[in-house]
C-alpha cells in the first residue's frame, strides 16, 4: 500500500479504507477484527533487498548484489535479456503481441480503472497498469536508442542502473497477470503480458524468480511430476477421503468415478483444490451425481494436475513442465 501515510500504518484496514478511500476487503476480511493489520517496512530490509519502490519486499529473490561489479553484471544480464525479448530469433512466440502492447499505448488510462490492484491500492501510481510498462519503454528506448527496431519510440529519459532494474523486477510481481486491463483497453494492449515478459528476463537471464513460483512450483513439479507433490496413490486416497467426508456430512454414499471408460465428461480441477479446498471437488461430485451426469475424474497426472507454473514467469520452465507430464 504505497500511499499509506506512516502515521496510519498499523491501523485496521477498515479505518484505512476510509482514510485512503481504499477498496474494502472481501469476506471474511470485511468483518471487524478479521482484517490483517498493515505493518511498517523494516529498515533492515534495505540492506538485503531492493526496497526503493515503496519500502516493501514482494519478491524476496531480488537480493542486493554485494559488489559494484556484481551490480554491473546484473544490469548487463538484464539488458541482454531485453535484447532477446525483442528478437524474432529468441522470442518468436511472443514478439508480435509484445510489440503491439509495447508500441501503441495511447496513455488513455482506461486500463487503470479495470485493474483491481491499482484500485485496491488506493490508486497508487506504482500499481497503474502502464507504470511498469512505461519504465520498461524508457529503459528499452535508452538502451536501443542508436537505431534499429525500437529507436522510433519517444522517451528514454531514465538512468539504467541496478536500482532502476531491480525496482522493475519488483514491479513485475506487483501484478497478478489477470489481464483485466487487456480486456478493457480500446486498442487490445496487454500490460499483463509485458509484466510476464519482464519476469521472463529476470528468471531466464538472471536466475531471479520468487520461491513460491519456482522452487515450490516448477521445481517440485519437475521432481515429483506434480505441482502439489500429489502422487497417483495419494490422489486415489484423497478421493476415498472425499467419499467418506461427503457421507459424514450428508448421510449419502456417493461413489466418485475415476478413470471411467467412455464417460461423457472428464472433469479436471485445479490441482491445488484437492489439497487446499477439497470441499470444491466434493461439491462438484454431489452436483454431478445428483444431476445424473456420466462423468469421471482421471488418475493420470495430466488429469488431476495440469498446472504449469512456468507460464507465469519462464518459457524454459514452462517447456520442461509440459515435457514432464
Ligand atoms: S494484468 Fe496486472 S496490470 Fe493488468 S489488470 Fe491484472 S493486475 Fe492489473
Ligand atoms: S487502456 Fe490501452 S491504450 Fe489506454 S493506457 Fe491502457 S494500455 Fe494504453
Amino acid at each position: 500500500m504505497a500511499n499509506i501515510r506512516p502515521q496510519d500504518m498499523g491501523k485496521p484496514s477498515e479505518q484505512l479504507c476510509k482514510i485512503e478511500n481504499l477498496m474494502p476487503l472481501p469476506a471474511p476480511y470485511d468483518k471487524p477484527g478479521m482484517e490483517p493489520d498493515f505493518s511498517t517496512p523494516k529498515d533492515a530490509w534495505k540492506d538485503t533487498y531492493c526496497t526503493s519502490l515503496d519500502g516493501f519486499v514482494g519478491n524476496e529473490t531480488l537480493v542486493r548484489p554485494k559488489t559494484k561489479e556484481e551490480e554491473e553484471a546484473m544490469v548487463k544480464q538484464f539488458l541482454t535479456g531485453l535484447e532477446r525479448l525483442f528478437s524474432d530469433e529468441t522470442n518468436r512466440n511472443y514478439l508480435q503481441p509484445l510489440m503491439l502492447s509495447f508500441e501503441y499505448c495511447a496513455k488513455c488510462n482506461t486500463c487503470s480503472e479495470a485493474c483491481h490492484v491499482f484500485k485496491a491500492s488506493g490508486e497508487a501510481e506504482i500499481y497503474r497498469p502502464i507504470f511498469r510498462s512505461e519504465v520498461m519503454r524508457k529503459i528499452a528506448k535508452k538502451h536501443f536508442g542508436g537505431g534499429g527496431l525500437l529507436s522510433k519510440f519517444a522517451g528514454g529519459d531514465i538512468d539504467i542502473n541496478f536500482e532502476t532494474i531491480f525496482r522493475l523486477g519488483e514491479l513485475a510481481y506487483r501484478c497478478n497477470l489477470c489481464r483485466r486491463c487487456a480486456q478493457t483497453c480500446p486498442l487490445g494492449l496487454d500490460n499483463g503480458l509485458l509484466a510476464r515478459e519482464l519476469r521472463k528476463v529476470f528468471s531466464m537471464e538472471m536466475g531471479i524468480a520468487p520461491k513460491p513460483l519456482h522452487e515450490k512450483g516448477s521445481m517440485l513439479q519437475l521432481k515429483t511430476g506434480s505441482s502439489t507433490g500429489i502422487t497417483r496413490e495419494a490422489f486415489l486416497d484423497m478421493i476415498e477421503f472425499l467419499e467418506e467426508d461427503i457421507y459424514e456430512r450428508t448421510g449419502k454414499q456417493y461413489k466418485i468415478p475415476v478413470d471411467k471408460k467412455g464417460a461423457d465428461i472428464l472433469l479436471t480441477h485445479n490441482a491445488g483444490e484437492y489439497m487446499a479446498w477439497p470441499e470444491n471437488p466434493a461439491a462438484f461430485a454431489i452436483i454431478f451425481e445428483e444431476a445424473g451426469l456420466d462423468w469421471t475424474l482421471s488418475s493420470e497426472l495430466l488429469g488431476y494436475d495440469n498446472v504449469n507454473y512456468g507460464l507465469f514467469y519462464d518459457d524454459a520452465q514452462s517447456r520442461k513442465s509440459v515435457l514432464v507430464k
Side-chain angles (χ1 to χ4, degrees):
M1 299 294 176
N3 56 354
I4 292 174
R5 299 170 303 176
Q7 65 267 35
D8 294 327
M9 286 285 183
K11 288 185 179 167
S13 61
E14 196 186 7
Q15 280 180 36
L16 283 170
C17 288
K18 287 187 188 125
I19 294 165
E20 295 288 341
N21 195 24
L22 297 175
M23 179 190 285
L25 294 173
Y29 302 111
D30 55 343
K31 296 194 177 59
M34 287 297 287
E35 320 89 341
D37 284 340
F38 291 106
S39 54
T40 42
K42 293 192 173 58
D43 251 7
W45 293 348
K46 288 184 195 152
D47 302 331
T48 313
Y49 305 104
C50 171
T51 55
S52 55
L53 188 64
D54 60 358
F56 288 96
V57 183
N59 182 355
E60 82 289 6
T61 50
L62 281 166
V63 177
R64 284 186 175 282
K66 298 215 168 16
T67 64
K68 201 80 200 147
E69 289 71 33
E70 282 175 25
E71 279 188 13
E72 282 164 13
M74 281 193 155
V75 172
K76 210 167 157 196
Q77 283 173 332
F78 176 84
L79 294 174
T80 304
L82 204 58
E83 287 167 17
R84 291 197 172 128
L85 278 193
F86 289 102
S87 160
D88 190 43
E89 269 176 44
T90 43
N91 202 20
R92 186 166 305 145
N93 290 344
Y94 288 94
L95 186 60
Q96 195 179 33
L98 169 68
M99 287 304 290
L100 182 71
S101 298
F102 193 84
E103 198 172 348
Y104 290 107
C105 179
K107 317 284 190 301
C108 67
N109 270 310
T110 308
C111 51
S112 301
E113 289 307 304
C115 176
H116 57 124
V117 180
F118 174 67
K119 298 304 279 184
S121 73
E123 306 195 349
E125 279 305 307
I126 59 167
Y127 291 113
R128 201 178 275 289
I130 62 169
F131 185 90
R132 76 183 68 77
S133 310
E134 277 300 291
V135 175
M136 183 185 180
R137 281 187 192 98
K138 282 174 190 273
I139 291 175
K141 167 66 187 172
K142 181 105 170 206
H143 182 58
F144 297 105
L149 187 64
L150 302 171
S151 60
K152 59 188 168 178
F153 297 121
D157 50 335
I158 195 167
D159 283 335
I160 302 180
N161 55 40
F162 157 77
E163 208 68 40
T164 322
I165 303 294
F166 261 39
R167 271 204 299 272
L168 196 52
E170 178 68 28
L171 277 168
Y173 285 94
R174 301 286 182 102
C175 157
N176 67 358
L177 309 189
C178 69
R179 293 177 165 155
R180 287 170 59 127
C181 51
Q183 287 176 346
T184 55
C185 172
L187 302 175
L189 311 187
D190 189 345
N191 286 290
L193 173 74
L194 294 184
R196 193 262 177 195
E197 292 296 275
L198 281 172
R199 293 179 183 191
K200 194 159 103 180
V201 174
F202 280 89
S203 181
M204 294 179 72
E205 300 295 331
M206 302 158 81
I208 293 172
K211 286 181 185 167
L213 267 184
H214 185 63
E215 273 184 38
K216 297 181 182 166
S218 295
M219 290 299 100
L220 182 64
Q221 198 162 20
L222 292 180
K223 197 169 143 212
T224 65
S226 159
S227 62
T228 52
I230 303 178
T231 59
R232 182 175 185 274
E233 290 69 31
F235 169 74
L236 292 172
D237 273 356
M238 239 167 252
I239 298 303
E240 237 181 271
F241 162 77
L242 285 184
E243 288 169 347
E244 286 165 15
D245 192 49
I246 294 172
Y247 179 67
E248 276 173 28
R249 286 166 188 258
T250 66
K252 286 194 173 183
Q253 191 84 58
Y254 292 97
K255 181 72 196 143
I256 298 178
V258 178
D259 300 330
K260 182 177 167 190
K261 297 244 180 304
D264 290 341
I265 301 166
L266 170 64
L267 179 62
T268 57
H269 291 289
N270 169 10
E273 304 275 304
Y274 293 107
M275 303 281 278
W277 302 283
E279 60 272 26
N280 290 347
F284 268 90
I286 294 169
I287 293 168
F288 276 35
E289 285 297 302
E290 289 296 326
L293 300 177
D294 182 16
W295 70 292
T296 186
L297 297 174
S298 167
S299 69
E300 295 286 323
L301 189 54
L302 259 178
Y304 67 84
D305 184 349
N306 50 20
V307 174
N308 185 332
Y309 281 92
L311 286 173
F312 294 102
Y313 72 103
D314 187 309
D315 289 351
Q317 295 302 338
S318 175
R319 183 170 178 272
K320 283 184 200 164
S321 294
V322 170
L323 294 177
V324 83
K325 301 281 187 191

